[in-house]
Amino acid sequence: DHLNDILALIDSQLQVLNNKKLINDDYLNQFSTSHRSNLKLPHLYFLPETNDDVHMCVQPRFSSYQHSPVQRLAQYLEPLIRSLFDNICRSTTVLNSQDFNTKFFHYWMQQSHTKQGIQFATFKIHDLYSNISHKELLEGLHTLLVNPLIIGRHDRLSNDAIVQLTSIVLRNNYFIYQDQIYRFARGCPLNLSLSQLLGSIYLHQWQTPLLRQIRLKDTFYVRFHDQGFLTWKESNDQLQIIFDELQQILPSEIQIILNIRSDLIYIIRFRVKF
């Protein structure tokens, strides 16, 4: 039975971490699949995604992840990692439209004498979650965990333990498509909340060159997962050069679409996408 083989593989990977003293016996029992019933692999289907600037593409979705073998581990890791990430990223990310409104209103009121010439730019990173490598996601997570603002062990887990447990989730995303079993060799399913969190952590590192320019020029910038909004007072060509450089950092399969406008309607268009 293929499912039993997958469960045995996951448990063997957890046992390796236990043997290395990265997780204790309590964690081993908590995350083990051997004592759990009703586990099954999710079924894959596709939803189309359209955009005015790019061709139609499809995004993978799953029937349910509730009974996936890695769901319990992913559900444990997501709030643990998010609590650490939120301390680092709060100034450059927004949670929803209300959060965006609050931050932008504060910025806009401070620009009462210098609003002339301000332009508004939005960007969308396409196909991030289906094409980003597990190695890049894990490197981004490691960079976060060694940040000087994050100190020590977290819930009795070392940085290495958190990275290794996250790796088990990424490496064991199995699913069924047309009666065949497949695995995510790269990328990760959006149904898993941990996936969006890892993507956001990766993009937090990716956006560093842009943040340097934002801080130098005292402009406004926020990001919501794989889309972002910023104000710009310099030439459009200069901003395009920055994003061309950012594009080079990403894998070739991942595309950035940048739009620059001078009218406030762009703020509304960005906000309604949340």
Side-chain angles (χ1 to χ4, degrees):
D1 181 83
H2 293 300
L3 177 58
N4 287 333
D5 291 341
I6 292 170
L7 300 183
L9 177 61
I10 294 172
D11 285 349
S12 68
Q13 293 168 358
L14 290 168
Q15 185 64 59
V16 169
L17 299 189
N18 178 255
N19 293 341
K20 292 181 177 180
K21 308 299 183 183
L22 289 175
I23 61 173
N24 59 29
D25 291 343
D26 290 339
Y27 279 127
L28 179 63
N29 292 329
Q30 179 180 348
F31 302 138
S32 173
T33 65
S34 59
H35 305 299
R36 297 164 59 194
S37 60
N38 201 30
L39 292 177
K40 56 185 178 181
L41 301 181
H43 287 259
L44 175 69
Y45 63 97
F46 292 93
L47 289 179
E49 178 184 87
T50 58
N51 187 281
D52 294 338
D53 303 297
V54 296
H55 60 277
M56 178 180 289
C57 60
V58 291
Q59 292 293 335
R61 294 292 187 272
F62 292 91
S63 54
S64 172
Y65 235 85
Q66 182 179 357
H67 302 293
S68 165
V70 296
Q71 175 72 346
R72 178 178 292 183
L73 178 55
Q75 284 183 324
Y76 169 81
L77 289 169
E78 196 273 341
L80 172 64
I81 297 172
R82 184 174 297 281
S83 67
L84 304 175
F85 183 52
D86 285 348
N87 292 330
I88 303 297
C89 73
R90 193 68 188 95
S91 64
T92 60
T93 57
V94 289
L95 303 175
N96 48 43
S97 292
Q98 182 178 355
D99 192 21
F100 175 83
N101 290 342
T102 300
K103 288 184 175 179
F104 184 77
F105 180 78
H106 177 73
Y107 164 80
W108 194 246
M109 294 306 294
Q110 292 179 325
Q111 307 299 311
S112 57
H113 302 296
T114 58
K115 291 176 182 175
Q116 186 174 1
I118 293 181
Q119 298 197 88
F120 309 100
T122 61
F123 66 87
K124 168 74 173 177
I125 303 173
H126 290 272
D127 303 321
L128 172 72
Y129 297 101
S130 56
N131 286 295
I132 191 70
S133 73
H134 297 164
K135 178 182 178 182
E136 288 169 308
L137 291 175
L138 293 172
E139 287 176 350
L141 175 59
H142 178 264
T143 300
L144 167 71
L145 294 174
V146 298
N147 189 299
L149 297 177
I150 299 177
I151 302 173
R153 298 170 70 90
H154 315 291
D155 204 10
R156 297 177 296 155
L157 291 173
S158 66
N159 293 342
D160 191 24
I162 294 174
V163 171
Q164 292 300 321
L165 287 170
T166 304
S167 177
I168 289 177
V169 174
L170 292 174
R171 284 183 287 146
N172 292 283
N173 267 310
Y174 291 90
F175 57 90
I176 297 174
Y177 179 62
Q178 295 184 342
D179 297 324
Q180 298 292 320
I181 295 178
Y182 297 88
R183 181 179 69 89
F184 272 85
R186 62 189 298 119
C188 44
L190 283 173
N191 294 61
L192 208 59
S193 58
L194 181 62
S195 298
Q196 287 196 336
L197 175 59
L198 293 174
S200 194
I201 292 171
Y202 168 80
L203 291 178
H204 184 74
Q205 313 298 330
W206 165 84
Q207 69 190 10
T208 299
L210 177 60
L211 289 181
R212 292 195 191 104
Q213 296 296 323
I214 294 297
R215 288 163 181 159
L216 284 173
K217 302 182 186 305
D218 190 29
T219 58
F220 178 81
Y221 169 80
V222 290
R223 183 175 52 78
F224 179 75
H225 297 305
D226 56 1
Q227 58 182 316
F229 174 90
L230 65 147
T231 60
W232 191 250
K233 302 176 183 178
E234 309 297 327
S235 71
N236 291 359
D237 289 343
Q238 186 175 354
L239 184 59
Q240 186 63 60
I241 289 172
I242 294 172
F243 272 88
D244 287 344
E245 293 173 352
L246 288 168
Q247 177 69 71
Q248 298 304 312
I249 301 174
L250 295 170
S252 58
E253 301 87 354
I254 300 173
Q255 183 183 14
I256 307 173
I257 300 298
L258 173 68
N259 287 291
I260 308 171
R261 295 290 187 274
S262 58
D263 50 275
L264 284 171
I265 192 64
Y266 243 57
I267 299 175
I268 299 173
R269 289 183 62 185
F270 179 78
R271 185 175 58 197
V272 298
K273 292 179 181 178
F274 294 141

